[in-house]
Amino acid sequence: MTVDRGNNGFVQVRYGLGGQTETIKASEAISGGHYPGVFETEGGRVRWRYALAESTAVFGLGETVRGMNKRGYIYESFSTDDPVHTPGKRALYAAHNFFAVVGESGFSVYIDFPGKVIFDIGFENRDEIVVEVMGSDCDFYFFEGRLKETTEAFRALIGLSYTPPKWAFGYQQSRWSYPDESAVEAIADQFEAHDIPCDAIYLDIDYMERFKDFTIDKNAFPNFKAFVEKMKTRGIKLVPIIDAGVKVESGYSVYETGIQGGFFCTDAEGHPFEAAVWPGLVHFPDFMNPKARQWFGSCYHELLEQGIEGFWNDMNEPAIFYTPKGLQEAIDYVKAQEGENLDIYSFFEMKDKMAQISNAQRDYREMMHRIGEKKVSHYEVHNLYGYMMSRSADEGFRRFDANRRYLLIGRSSHIGMAKHAGIWTGDNQSWWEHLKLNIQMMPGLQMAGFLYAGADTGGFGDHTGADLMIRWMQFSLFTPLFRNHSAMGTRRQEPWAFDEKTLAVMRDIIRLRYAFVPYLYSEYMKANLGHQLLHAPLAYEYEGEDAVHTEDQLLFGESLMLAPIYEQNAIGRSVFVPERMAYLKLRRYEDLEKTAPKILSLGHHYTKAGLDEIPLFIRENHLFVLSEPASNIPAMTQSALTVIGFVTDRASYELLDDDGYSRAFERGGLKKTRFAVEKTSDGKYKTHVDTNDAGIGSVTFYIIDAEGKVSIIRQESPLYA
Ligand code: GLC
């Protein structure tokens, strides 16, 4: 074991022990090159223990079940295709090995390890964290400080996060499945007919020819390129799905080139590893092999050439329905039971035999990667698979066009992948509990670097109710990825699938989303470039027990707080207000002027918000910016902006923007507009707008004072720097 002090303030503990047993006691403080807690190694595993004080909270672990404070349960990093995210599930699709300890001595921990890690956060012993790494070749990084500082330090270490093109901040419609051109066009027609903005329609597995990656079903889409163009002229981008498994079929070019190049994972004998997913038998690209990554990444070019600008990478844990060997064994077992009088144990054993053939750890152990000259069992590096698939795609995009941003979301993810792609949180259900889970997961995902993230709005599995749909949309309005996606066979979730009243409310929410895009995009840029959270727990900014233990509210960028409603039939909720704030109930962009704000003092409140009202809280002496909605992002202009603020003294806000598609923002290519409001001695407000963005037109300020009174000030022409 070696301990290093990194140059930006973290302590790195490196293991490469290979099985000795030893216990290392360390100082309780990080300072001076020490780290908190105690390390033990046993049987080739590394274990780290840390004693928790009663009031300490633990944030992070990204895509995991349960609350924002992870204390009280046990979680696993072992990417799993499990669509039933009930509270007992220890692992979901992602492996986000980062968490922050918020207590008397604050610090964060990142565990760099590609295999299974178990996080017991006060489960076996209420007052102890035990992290168990199922191997010894791992690094622990410790960052000392408060939640905000340590998150920033960690994010600075892993680098800038993925930023999609600006159109990907628009509303996106999806469903498994829109089978052909006419179905897709019918969706676009409905958006137009109902005057609802939309930027993208997703293509699920049915657009392919029998689920073969990088193919198009010619019957369903006779001229795909022309269709992609036609939809673009209507303002809609098509986003096709790509699955990890490549169908085994001679003559299919992706399969053939994969075989010729030796780009697939193998079994122990060196034959391509065979498993079944959607198309039946597939081989899995060996994404650990740089040449295979390059090959697969270049396969996306075929679709990019047809005008596609975004993809979703799926089934890349990788999900395995069965392997021929696993299936045969199960069938043999079941057959052997024929004619038996099965008691409870033997009956359940037989049933389980079938269920256990999917995503079997044995199969993961038998699948091999080539890493350099070495063969490595997939099991050892399991959590990197989805990451490397997205890396392969992103690198392929960069070879296609080095300066253009493409939309890319992946399902399975690992820390480090955030450089290449965003994520969606997989197959949730149309349950109120999963709306709450979505809210509570956002900060953890962003701590792990995944700023471009969101859940299947309305829920993927099960049937959504209109009220759940509305409340979920009211939250997704504020998440970078706002995609309505649902599974085949469930109730349809497009806005017009509901009654007229619900449709109207959904339209208003989507239009409000577009109004919020300037603020959302600007805060996204700041969060990315400054390594911050876009959605943060209150403990990120505020001290004290109440802030630390608020589980269902989020700071949204620098000016706003969200307290979403996530319970059926609720007409309001309890809110902890961590400083004086102005409370708004938003309904429609057009009704902003009618929104009567209420000033709330620090403390606990009950705030009401009917089903068509979105609760929003503005921090004191802060501003945010809205613009007029349009039918899609490219159609939006900044010619009429609205600045809303709660100002008792003075406030300013810097709005960032860029061209929306290039990587120039990484090198400072940003448009900046500064809005300032100052309260003068006669109780009036002075406003100021400074910009280097020639697109900024008139600005209307709605300024709320300490009594909740609104002053409206219109400024026709900003000052150009
Ligand atoms: C997986 C994905 C889901 C998709 C489905 C069919 O379950 O998570 O989003 O719709 O596969 O492709």
Side-chain angles (χ1 to χ4, degrees):
M1 174 178 135
T2 54
V3 181
D4 293 333
R5 197 160 178 95
N7 47 13
N8 52 349
F10 59 87
V11 173
Q12 184 183 9
V13 178
R14 281 183 288 165
Y15 269 92
L17 291 171
Q20 298 101 311
T21 302
E22 62 173 311
T23 302
I24 302 141
K25 293 240 184 306
S27 151
E28 284 292 309
I30 305 177
S31 52
H34 296 301
Y35 48 83
V38 174
F39 278 99
E40 301 164 1
T41 61
E42 193 187 321
R45 296 174 180 184
V46 172
R47 198 177 301 124
W48 174 80
R49 299 176 174 280
Y50 177 78
L52 286 166
E54 189 72 35
S55 59
T56 299
V58 180
F59 294 95
L61 293 182
E63 196 179 287
T64 44
V65 297
R66 304 205 176 208
M68 237 178 311
N69 180 354
K70 307 315 289 185
R71 199 166 168 174
Y73 198 58
I74 183 164
Y75 313 86
E76 271 180 27
S77 279
F78 196 80
S79 298
T80 306
D81 171 28
D82 183 339
V84 189
H85 311 162
T86 41
K89 296 293 165 69
R90 295 184 178 188
L92 300 178
Y93 308 90
H96 298 155
N97 303 340
F98 176 80
F99 61 88
V101 175
V102 177
E104 264 166 40
S105 58
F107 64 92
S108 291
V109 189
Y110 161 50
I111 297 111
D112 188 3
F113 185 70
K116 189 185 275 191
V117 184
I118 299 173
F119 299 88
D120 177 335
I121 314 287
F123 179 68
E124 287 294 337
N125 173 351
R126 190 155 70 88
D127 295 326
E128 193 181 36
I129 299 181
V130 182
V131 176
E132 179 134 20
V133 181
M134 297 301 175
S136 56
D137 195 359
C138 60
D139 293 355
F140 277 66
Y141 292 72
F142 294 96
F143 304 82
E144 185 179 18
R146 295 194 55 231
L147 175 62
K148 188 171 184 176
E149 295 152 18
T150 58
T151 306
E152 260 174 51
F154 170 63
R155 288 263 309 281
L157 181 71
I158 61 173
L160 282 191
S161 297
Y162 164 78
T163 300
K166 195 173 183 183
W167 61 262
F169 287 82
Y171 174 77
Q172 311 186 48
Q173 186 63 55
S174 183
R175 178 168 171 90
W176 175 20
S177 171
Y178 302 139
D180 54 23
E181 274 189 5
S182 60
V184 174
E185 277 193 288
I187 299 292
D189 292 345
Q190 292 277 16
F191 277 106
E192 275 171 30
H194 295 290
D195 191 22
I196 301 174
C198 179
D199 271 86
I201 298 178
Y202 279 60
L203 300 180
D204 209 316
I205 45 175
D206 318 68
Y207 79 90
M208 300 180 209
E209 190 191 303
R210 282 171 295 125
F211 315 119
K212 290 189 290 188
D213 276 344
F214 309 111
T215 66
I216 308 286
D217 180 343
K218 291 277 181 311
N219 294 321
F221 298 90
N223 187 344
F224 191 64
K225 189 173 183 186
F227 186 64
V228 172
E229 272 318 306
K230 183 176 172 192
M231 293 305 291
K232 274 205 224 177
T233 58
R234 300 182 66 174
I236 302 278
K237 314 268 195 299
L238 298 182
V239 182
I241 196 169
I242 302 293
D243 288 312
V246 171
K247 184 173 166 72
V248 175
E249 185 182 277
S250 62
Y252 160 42
S253 69
V254 181
Y255 165 77
E256 295 289 359
T257 51
I259 291 285
Q260 277 154 24
F263 297 143
F264 294 120
C265 292
T266 63
D267 59 20
E269 281 80 52
H271 305 299
F273 181 84
E274 232 173 33
V277 203
W278 307 121
L281 293 180
V282 300
H283 294 327
F284 291 115
D286 183 356
F287 291 117
M288 302 302 291
N289 169 356
K291 288 199 179 117
R293 277 205 299 273
Q294 180 160 9
W295 156 73
F296 196 83
S298 295
C299 291
Y300 290 81
H301 293 186
E302 181 132 358
L303 289 163
L304 292 171
E305 271 155 15
Q306 303 196 51
I308 292 296
E309 297 178 33
F311 296 88
W312 45 318
N313 280 347
D314 193 20
M315 305 295 274
N316 50 14
E317 294 69 35
I320 293 181
F321 292 171
Y322 64 86
T323 55
K325 189 166 132 197
L327 179 64
Q328 194 55 53
E329 281 175 14
I331 290 172
D332 292 346
Y333 185 89
V334 173
K335 273 193 181 154
Q337 312 306 308
E338 204 179 340
E340 294 292 322
N341 174 6
L342 301 176
D343 70 1
I344 170 175
Y345 302 114
S346 34
F347 172 68
F348 282 114
E349 206 174 322
M350 183 188 74
K351 250 176 80 175
D352 290 349
K353 272 279 178 303
M354 271 297 170
Q356 284 160 358
I357 63 176
S358 296
N359 307 319
Q361 303 224 346
R362 186 187 76 178
D363 293 334
Y364 290 142
R365 284 186 197 279
E366 288 180 2
M367 175 167 139
M368 307 302 279
H369 294 277
R370 217 176 61 201
I371 302 180
E373 288 311 303
K374 269 185 20 198
K375 277 195 166 178
V376 176
S377 158
H378 171 78
Y379 183 83
E380 306 290 329
V381 292
H382 174 71
N383 292 334
L384 294 180
Y385 195 76
Y387 166 8
M388 291 297 152
M389 179 180 179
S390 288
R391 175 175 171 187
S392 149
D394 178 40
E395 289 172 351
F397 302 163
R398 287 171 197 256
R399 287 195 301 278
F400 189 78
D401 186 337
N403 196 35
R404 198 174 189 92
R405 280 141 54 190
Y406 293 92
L407 168 62
L408 180 62
I409 51 174
R411 193 171 72 175
S412 178
S413 62
H414 185 268
I415 282 172
M417 182 181 127
K419 284 198 281 287
H420 302 288
I423 50 174
W424 87 100
T425 56
D427 298 349
N428 59 7
Q429 306 282 328
S430 298
W431 300 340
W432 290 92
E433 290 78 0
H434 280 183
L435 166 55
K436 185 175 183 191
L437 185 62
N438 181 192
I439 297 163
Q440 295 185 310
M441 221 187 244
M442 289 310 285
L445 300 180
Q446 294 174 15
M447 287 162 96
F450 294 95
L451 291 180
Y452 191 73
D456 286 352
T457 302
F460 174 77
D462 224 329
H463 309 291
T464 198
D467 53 349
L468 174 59
M469 193 68 219
I470 289 173
R471 289 300 192 196
W472 210 320
M473 304 247 318
Q474 291 177 347
F475 177 62
S476 294
L477 190 172
F478 301 110
T479 64
L481 169 64
F482 182 3
R483 182 179 78 145
N484 174 344
H485 180 52
S486 55
M488 207 162 50
T490 61
R491 180 181 186 179
R492 293 197 74 117
Q493 285 181 191
E494 297 88 358
W496 49 90
F498 298 91
D499 57 86
E500 283 295 320
K501 234 163 76 183
T502 302
L503 163 68
V505 176
M506 287 172 78
R507 177 197 298 118
D508 291 340
I509 297 170
I510 295 172
R511 283 172 54 75
L512 266 175
R513 161 57 170 234
Y514 282 76
F516 267 90
V517 163
Y519 178 76
L520 173 65
Y521 194 66
S522 174
E523 290 303 300
Y524 188 96
M525 288 289 184
K526 287 180 204 168
N528 194 3
L529 298 167
H531 314 298
Q532 295 183 346
L533 301 186
L534 178 63
H535 295 105
L538 299 192
Y540 194 66
E541 290 289 342
Y542 304 95
E543 306 257 354
E545 200 177 61
D546 287 343
V548 171
H549 293 280
T550 298
E551 281 279 316
D552 55 0
Q553 296 172 212
L554 296 170
L555 294 169
F556 172 47
E558 68 180 51
S559 305
L560 300 173
M561 183 179 81
L562 308 175
I565 293 180
Y566 53 82
E567 274 172 357
Q568 191 166 352
N569 298 319
I571 51 156
R573 53 162 288 170
S574 298
V575 178
F576 173 62
V577 177
E579 63 172 315
R580 186 157 65 150
M581 289 185 176
Y583 174 51
L584 290 181
K585 288 192 272 192
L586 300 178
R587 274 171 194 265
R588 312 175 64 222
Y589 173 76
E590 290 72 18
D591 289 351
L592 281 177
E593 265 178 82
K594 292 184 214 147
T595 313
K598 211 167 138 184
I599 306 304
L600 300 178
S601 55
L602 185 157
H604 293 270
H605 297 265
Y606 184 85
T607 55
K608 286 198 162 184
L611 189 54
D612 57 351
E613 293 174 321
I614 305 165
L616 188 71
F617 301 77
I618 315 172
R619 295 176 69 181
E620 186 166 355
N621 293 316
H622 282 78
L623 310 173
F624 69 100
V625 183
L626 300 173
S627 71
E628 253 172 355
S631 55
N632 52 54
I633 296 286
M636 284 183 72
T637 73
Q638 315 247 43
S639 61
L641 294 179
T642 302
V643 173
I644 302 183
F646 171 34
V647 185
T648 56
D649 178 17
R650 62 181 64 209
S652 70
Y653 182 77
E654 187 174 57
L655 183 76
L656 302 183
D657 198 7
D658 74 337
D659 57 25
Y661 67 89
S662 80
R663 298 189 193 279
F665 76 93
E666 291 173 4
R667 304 179 295 273
L670 285 163
K671 302 183 213 171
K672 294 183 181 172
T673 305
R674 199 175 148 273
F675 303 89
V677 177
E678 196 185 326
K679 190 154 192 175
T680 55
S681 50
D682 57 3
K684 297 215 167 77
Y685 288 104
K686 223 164 75 189
T687 63
H688 190 80
V689 183
D690 247 323
T691 187
N692 66 1
D693 182 353
I696 304 284
S698 69
V699 182
T700 306
F701 288 85
Y702 289 77
I703 305 303
I704 303 162
D705 71 9
E707 275 73 55
K709 210 166 89 302
V710 181
S711 305
I712 301 180
I713 302 151
R714 204 173 145 81
Q715 195 166 327
E716 286 301 338
S717 45
L719 296 176
Y720 290 99

